[in-house]
Amino acid sequence: MATALDTALAVHGGAPVRAGRPWPVWPRPAPGAGASLIEVLHSGRWSIASPYGGEPTFERRFAGDFATYLSTGYCVPTASGTAALMTALEACGVGAGDEVIVPALSWVASASTVLGVNAVPVFADVDPRTLCLDPVAAEAAITPATRAIVVVHLYSALAELTALRALAERYGLPLIEDAAQAHGATYLHRKAGTFGTVGTFSMHHTKVLSSGEGGAAVTDDAALARRIEHLRADGRCLPDRPPAPGMPELVETGELMGSNRCLSEFQSALLIAQLKELDEQNAVRRANAALLDRLLGELGCTPQETSAGTTARTYFGYAVRLPDAVLREVSAGVVAAAVSAELGLTVRPVYRPLFDNKLYDPASRPRFRHVPGHLWRVAPAGHDLPVTSLAARSFVTFHHSALLGDEADMHDIAAAFGRVLERACELDG
């Protein structure tokens, strides 16, 4: 193992802190996942739009399992987290020209989904400790055109849900809770995703509950759930009772036009198996993150905090703020690259602010020029959100799969950070 006394950092060709030992692989198939996929393969039903075969679909089974896990009334699986967010927005009545408040520090889908329903994302600043939507900033962003608030539980933190829910109720706005990075986390002993009018999840390859691609929207409101069903299945929904075998199960009601954003039977079967492993994996991540909090804190780093109401965290990413003294010498991106070289593990800065993110570029899509002046309203320029900007320059993160390792892995991570931070003056940039 390399030490701080070695002649060169790994990024400069020196021996790395960690070499020859792999990190945990993600996604990790759960026991029974392969058998479930083979069952679907030979079932004659790969989609919920296939003819009814006499048994509940895997999609219906997963929806029931996930609703039970979350203790919520309804779950509508979708093709992606993006699909879940868009159907949630539309089901809540958000449409052309409406404003939707979103946190300025988030993955681009927080803004692009709002654009996708012809509405206007309004960026609000985040809390400097949690990196989640600041309730005070959210209230300051409300205008007569505001139609919804979207809160994102970012990386490993839960937002201040009590304050945000009270804010939404005070102004009569739906609160859409994006829990794409928080499967299994709890706030006041309730699962993340169940505090908002609608909760949305992603089951993308990177997520702690994964089927490669996929998502879900959850709610306790039967009418909203029915609208989401129509919006994700070309205007069709499931019947109150099953049809005769061989007949289509989805009913063409004509209530609400939708699009095809359904989850496949393969993904649904995989999620049923993966869900059984979620709590145990989250417990391992949580214990390792607690150890890292202590080790990196001793180096002068500040781990991302969660809100006071959090009763159990999960970790999509482990995020940590670098010491100010180091940031005066070198950028977070350069430090992240150097730590990556020491570990053979990708460490990177947190998301760029949405108003400064090259992935958020409405002008690149002709569809957003549909109304004169609309493109100006949704342009990324002209935002001054100091907390978001500072957080993007200060924090680095790595994927939750590393937290499925053992204590020795956590000590390797701390050793790599320590080595790079001690010799940050040797880095360029």
Side-chain angles (χ1 to χ4, degrees), residues 283-345:
V284 173
R285 295 184 186 101
R286 195 176 300 122
N288 280 327
L291 174 58
L292 265 185
D293 285 352
R294 178 173 63 81
L295 295 174
L296 295 183
E298 292 170 356
L299 298 175
C301 297
T302 307
Q304 180 191 19
E305 298 179 36
T306 189
S307 63
T310 303
T311 42
R313 290 175 81 164
T314 187
Y315 287 80
F316 168 71
Y318 183 91
V320 62
R321 191 183 192 281
L322 301 175
D324 289 337
V326 170
L327 292 170
R328 285 193 289 269
E329 296 274 348
V330 67
S331 73
V334 170
V335 171
V339 175
S340 298
E342 298 292 340
L343 291 171
L345 171 73

Side-chain angles (χ1 to χ4, degrees), residues 53-342:
E55 296 290 335
T57 60
F58 280 95
E59 193 257 12
R60 283 295 85 200
R61 286 182 243 175
F62 168 67
D65 288 354
F66 200 45
T68 298
Y69 175 78
L70 297 173
S71 298
T72 193
Y74 305 91
C75 169
V76 183
T78 59
S80 65
T82 292
L85 275 170
M86 290 181 68
T87 55
L89 287 163
E90 286 203 84
C92 289
V94 176
D98 293 338
E99 292 181 358
V100 178
I101 295 170
V102 300
L105 190 68
S106 185
W107 177 241
V108 67
S110 294
S112 62
T113 51
V114 176
L115 290 176
V117 298
N118 292 328
V120 179
V122 175
F123 304 131
D125 222 339
V126 297
D127 183 285
R129 302 169 300 106
T130 68
L131 309 186
C132 297
L133 182 64
D134 181 351
V136 174
E139 182 165 22
I142 293 174
T143 75
T146 304
R147 294 293 176 269
I149 300 170
V150 175
V151 55
V152 179
H153 303 306
L154 196 68
Y155 293 121
S156 70
L158 295 182
E160 294 281 0
L161 285 169
T162 300
L164 287 165
R165 185 159 145 171
L167 173 66
E169 290 173 353
R170 189 158 66 248
Y171 285 87
L173 298 169
L175 179 67
I176 297 174
E177 190 183 350
D178 182 346
Q181 300 181 3
H183 309 70
T186 64
Y187 184 93
L188 301 180
H189 302 285
R190 285 178 53 183
K191 291 288 198 307
T194 66
F195 282 80
T197 311
V198 181
T200 66
F201 292 85
S202 167
M203 282 68 167
H204 181 261
H205 170 92
T206 58
K207 300 304 191 291
V208 297
L209 178 63
S210 175
S211 53
E213 294 286 357
V218 302
T219 182
D220 284 325
D221 187 313
L224 277 176
R226 186 173 178 86
R227 288 178 63 83
I228 293 169
E229 270 200 51
H230 283 80
L231 287 163
R232 65 85 197 239
D234 285 319
R236 299 167 293 175
C237 73
L238 291 160
D240 294 331
R241 60 173 63 94
M247 297 298 292
E249 187 170 10
L250 292 173
V251 179
E252 299 178 7
T253 67
E255 292 178 22
L256 178 64
M257 187 177 77
S259 303
N260 184 3
R261 294 167 176 156
C262 295
L263 191 69
S264 80
E265 284 292 272
F266 290 100
Q267 293 163 307
S268 299
L270 190 56
L271 286 169
I272 290 171
Q274 298 301 117
L275 181 59
K276 296 172 184 175
E277 304 294 301
L278 178 60
D279 284 345
E280 183 178 344
Q281 291 173 345
N282 276 343
V284 173
R285 295 184 186 101
R286 195 176 300 122
N288 280 327
L291 174 58
L292 265 185
D293 285 352
R294 178 173 63 81
L295 295 174
L296 295 183
E298 292 170 356
L299 298 175
C301 297
T302 307
Q304 180 191 19
E305 298 179 36
T306 189
S307 63
T310 303
T311 42
R313 290 175 81 164
T314 187
Y315 287 80
F316 168 71
Y318 183 91
V320 62
R321 191 183 192 281
L322 301 175
D324 289 337
V326 170
L327 292 170
R328 285 193 289 269
E329 296 274 348
V330 67
S331 73
V334 170
V335 171
V339 175
S340 298
E342 298 292 340

